[in-house]
Every structure is written in structure tokens, then in C-alpha cells.
Amino acid sequence: GWASEGLGSSGKNRRVCHAAARLEMGSLWEEFNRLGTEMIVTKAGRDTGEDGTTEMLGVRGRILAVLSPLPCRYAFHSSSWLAAGRADPAAPGRVHFHPDSPAKGAQWMRQIVSFDKLKLTNNLLDDNGHIILNSMHRYQPRFHVVFVDPRRDSERFAHQNFKSFSFPETQFMAVTAYQNHRITQLKIASNPFAKGFRDGDPEP
């Protein structure tokens, strides 16, 4: 049941070239993806864990804009996402370092590695290190397993010392408020902390 999507595995350091990853709760991610996953972004920064979506495996994470086929801004209209013009200027690219990094491979393999505290913001002036995204744009999370090379000239081998992973079913739309009511319902239904919402919801 382990699936790996390694990007550029050839020529990699032997310590990372065989690294593999599995998306935890992949079937739930697929269910969200079929509806069009939405993630809330705020000026102050919002934890991905607060968003009610399951977490990704990883060591270092970043979120890249999806080019499909050209970068564009989207709008939710008639129950679907539609291209609605040219994309806003790209937000500053940032990488989130997992708080347990660096650690030995055995430690990463002992438990699920979660990015649930990675914060998303649409504040272009953010100085807290949060991942900056443009609202109403589509994104693809990606994470990297990186070998901490002890050699003094390690920068020469930087391109060999990491392996990247991404899962297409984790693409999401950055929004300031949920657009698709089916996403809201699925998040309530799948969030163990949302029992009160479920009890008061007359819909099945």
C-alpha cells in the first residue's frame, strides 16, 4: 500500500534515492479532491490542522501554484470552479521546515509525519514565516526529504541530497471563505471535533 511519487530520483544520494511516502488517509483526500478541496487562508495565518483536512507526510514542505494549463485566478460559479482571469503576481516562495527536523530516518518512520501546524496566509507583508498564497488560486503541496550532508562542501551536492514528493489529490483552492457547501459538509462529517455541528445538522 505504499506509493511514492519521487521527482528526479536519478543521480540522487543513496540515502534519499529509495525514500518512499504514502499519503495518510488517501481515500479521504480523494473524496475531497473530487469535490474540489478548499483551504482557508487569513491575514493572520491559519493552521492547516484547523482547516479540518487530513495531514500530509513530509519533512520540509512548500506549496506551489498549479499551472493548468496557464496560471489563472478562479471563481466559484454554478457549483464549479471556473477560470476567471489572469493570475495575480506570484506570492513570495517560502519553505516550511518541519519542527522535528533534522532527525534520523528511523524517527520519521516511527509515526505519521504531520504538517498540521503549517500556517497559510494571504498577507503579502507577512513576517512570521507563514506560507503566503493568493486567494482564489489553485495550489499543489509538495514536500522534500533532505539528507543533512556533513561534508564541508555539501553545497556542491545539494541537488543530490533531496527527494521531492507530491500527491495530485492534495491540490486545493485557497479561499477566505468556503465556496462549495459540499466541502463544508464533508469537513464537518470527517472532523472528529465537529460533533456539535453534526448533531445540529438536519441534512444527512
Side-chain angles (χ1 to χ4, degrees), residues 67-161:
L67 312 181
S68 54
L70 294 173
C72 58
R73 183 179 179 86
Y74 291 84
F76 192 74
H77 182 69
S78 299
S79 300
S80 62
W81 286 100
L82 303 172
R86 297 177 63 86
D88 296 335
R94 289 179 172 175
V95 175
H96 171 81
F97 288 80
H98 192 280
D100 293 342
S101 293
K104 293 184 176 181
Q107 178 176 331
W108 295 116
M109 294 171 65
R110 267 200 296 269
Q111 59 192 14
I112 295 170
V113 181
S114 169
F115 278 116
D116 61 337
K117 296 304 181 186
L118 184 155
K119 286 184 180 283
L120 307 178
T121 183
N122 57 2
N123 179 8
L124 295 175
L125 302 178
D126 175 79
D127 59 0
N128 295 305
H130 303 334
I131 301 293
I132 302 174
L133 306 179
N134 288 320
S135 302
M136 309 303 278
H137 289 61
R138 191 186 301 277
Y139 291 93
Q140 170 69 65
R142 179 176 296 171
F143 71 92
H144 315 277
V145 175
V146 182
F147 170 58
V148 180
D149 196 331
R151 291 173 289 189
R152 288 188 176 183
D153 57 348
S154 61
E155 66 276 359
R156 290 178 49 208
F157 308 99
H159 63 288
Q160 301 174 4
N161 288 336

